[in-house]
Amino acid sequence: MTDDATPRPLDRIDRRILAELQGDGRLTNVELSRRVHLSPTPCLERVRRLEREGYIRGYRAELDPARLDRALLVYIEVSLDRTDETVFEAFKAAIRQQPDVLECHMVAGGFDYLVKARLADMAAYRRFLGDCLVSLPGVRSTHTYVVMEEVKTDARLPVD
């Protein structure tokens, strides 16, 4: 955050920096500065400010799930047996410990959580479901959707 704890509004250059880094987080500062039409020192200062203010949360490599024996992608609706804070907290703590779970979101609607998981194959999913997911605190029922084709997987946010 800035000194007054209020992030500065993003200008056109900040947005361009964010867009470029989303496309390639390994850009050198020199290449990034060239792409956003800024000299290297002010560009680096802007990137550091964007990191400090929380616009940039981190950098990571995009891995190929199939090469890492994680080709099966599933989404699982999870309904809890009770919807009170104790059950919510116990479920969240337990699901965060599961390495196969990529994402978990509490949702409004006909179920409580939507879980995204990657596994090797259907046998691995069956083990995950039986040994892990249904035994988590408060789980009443699950409903699974197996992804047949990944149509769009770009995690980039629009910064226009």
Side-chain angles (χ1 to χ4, degrees):
M1 294 286 177
T2 57
D3 292 337
D4 63 356
T6 304
R8 288 183 3 189
L10 296 177
D11 64 15
R12 183 183 53 76
I13 295 173
D14 290 336
R15 290 178 188 282
R16 183 69 194 254
I17 288 170
L18 293 174
E20 291 292 340
L21 288 175
Q22 276 193 115
D24 183 356
R26 292 184 58 161
L27 283 175
T28 65
N29 184 57
V30 171
E31 177 60 18
L32 178 61
S33 66
R34 187 189 65 72
R35 290 185 185 190
V36 300
H37 308 291
L38 205 60
S39 60
T41 300
C43 183
L44 183 58
E45 289 170 359
R46 280 177 180 255
V47 169
R48 288 185 177 151
R49 179 180 52 79
L50 292 166
E51 291 169 345
R52 244 186 351 266
E53 292 178 354
Y55 289 102
I56 299 172
R57 296 192 314 195
Y59 302 88
R60 59 180 63 110
E62 185 177 337
L63 307 179
D64 183 339
R67 289 191 166 276
L68 296 167
D69 201 23
R70 297 289 176 157
L72 183 68
L73 178 60
V74 295
Y75 289 88
I76 309 150
E77 295 177 357
V78 177
S79 295
L80 301 179
D81 57 8
R82 294 184 327 276
T83 53
D84 63 48
E85 202 57 36
T86 304
V87 174
F88 288 145
E89 291 305 317
F91 178 81
K92 289 190 296 190
I95 202 80
R96 286 180 179 130
Q97 300 303 311
Q98 303 305 315
D100 295 320
V101 173
L102 302 177
E103 298 178 19
C104 179
H105 305 276
M106 178 188 265
V107 297
F111 56 96
D112 300 302
Y113 289 93
L114 183 62
V115 174
K116 178 181 178 182
R118 274 215 180 263
L119 302 120
D121 52 28
M122 194 55 75
Y125 167 70
R126 180 69 187 106
R127 284 189 302 277
F128 170 74
L129 182 65
D131 297 344
C132 169
L133 199 57
V134 297
S135 65
L136 292 179
V139 173
R140 181 185 73 222
S141 65
T142 64
H143 188 92
T144 301
Y145 300 90
V146 176
V147 174
M148 294 173 42
E149 178 184 5
E150 293 179 55
V151 177
K152 181 178 180 183
T153 59
D154 189 353
R156 293 183 228 186
L157 294 173
V159 292
D160 308 359

